[in-house]
Amino acid sequence: MLNNIIISKMKNNNLKNILCTLPLWIMACMLTSCLTMGLEDLPAFEEAEITDVRFEYRFKDPNSTWIDGDQVVKWVNLTVQNRVIDSSSGTITCTLQVPAADATFTETIRSQVSLSNVVGKFYLSTAASIAPMDGAPTLGIPGDFSAPRKYKVTAADGSTKVWTVQVTALNK
C-alpha cells in the first residue's frame, strides 16, 4: 500500500516537471531561426601561410610521478632565433636555443635535446590546415628536424602551398 502511494506521487511529480518545462521548450523552438535563404556568402580565406614557428622539448621528470607511478611529462620551450619567413618562396629558416638547466630541466636532461627529438608547432593563416610531406614529422609530436622538412598548407578556399622549414642550428 505504501509502495503504491510513493509510486503515485513520483508519477505526479514527473508529470508536473514535464508540464512545467514544456512551455520553455516550445518557446525555444519558436525563437530559433530556420532562415536558409537570403544570407550573403562569406568569403573563403585564400591564404595558405605559415605565420610563425615554435619548438619545444618534452621529457619525463624523474622527480615527479602520477598516482599510477608513471613519470610526469614536462616540456621546455626552445627559443626560436634568426627566424626568416619568406612567403614568396615558401621557406622558413631559424635556429633554436636550448634554455639553461634548472631544478626540473637538469643538465642531464638538457644534454639529451637534439634536432632529432623536438616538437614543432606552427601558426597558420585563418582557417588553413597543414599536412606533413615526404616523411616530415607530424606537428605536436616529437620528431626529427635535423633536415629541411616540407609541409603542405591548404587554405579554406582549397588552394595549397608547399612550405620548407629548416632549423639550421641547435645552440646549447
Side-chain angles (χ1 to χ4, degrees):
M1 173 93 167
L2 181 61
N3 285 342
N4 289 341
I5 294 171
I6 292 173
I7 291 173
S8 175
K9 284 191 175 203
M10 287 176 59
K11 285 182 181 177
N12 288 340
N13 283 340
N14 287 340
L15 183 60
K16 191 178 193 181
N17 288 339
I18 291 171
L19 291 176
C20 286
T21 59
L22 187 61
L24 294 174
W25 285 105
I26 291 171
M27 286 181 54
C29 291
M30 288 174 44
L31 296 176
T32 60
S33 174
C34 296
L35 182 62
T36 58
M37 297 181 348
L39 298 175
E40 80 178 68
D41 288 332
L42 295 174
F45 293 100
E46 56 191 38
E47 294 84 18
E49 304 293 317
I50 297 176
T51 58
D52 198 7
V53 294
R54 305 276 171 92
F55 291 90
E56 67 184 32
Y57 177 73
R58 295 180 186 163
F59 60 96
K60 290 185 177 182
D61 184 357
N63 301 318
S64 184
T65 57
W66 293 104
I67 195 167
D68 64 1
D70 286 344
Q71 291 178 329
V72 174
V73 175
K74 296 191 175 180
W75 70 92
V76 292
N77 290 317
L78 306 176
T79 304
V80 178
Q81 299 174 325
N82 305 316
R83 177 187 303 118
V84 177
I85 300 175
D86 185 349
S87 181
S88 62
S89 65
T91 59
I92 297 175
T93 57
C94 64
T95 61
L96 301 179
Q97 177 68 46
V98 180
D102 61 25
T104 304
F105 185 59
T106 64
E107 193 59 49
T108 302
I109 295 170
R110 187 176 186 271
S111 68
Q112 296 170 2
V113 179
S114 74
L115 287 178
S116 63
N117 61 5
V118 296
V119 177
K121 300 184 290 183
F122 299 173
Y123 291 79
L124 307 176
S125 303
T126 302
S129 62
I130 190 166
M133 298 175 60
D134 304 329
T138 301
L139 298 175
I141 298 174
D144 186 359
F145 284 89
S146 62
R149 298 301 186 179
K150 292 188 182 287
Y151 291 89
K152 182 165 113 177
V153 178
T154 304
D157 70 354
S159 60
T160 62
K161 184 175 186 178
V162 175
W163 284 81
T164 303
V165 178
Q166 182 175 15
V167 181
T168 58
L170 178 72
N171 302 316
K172 292 189 179 185

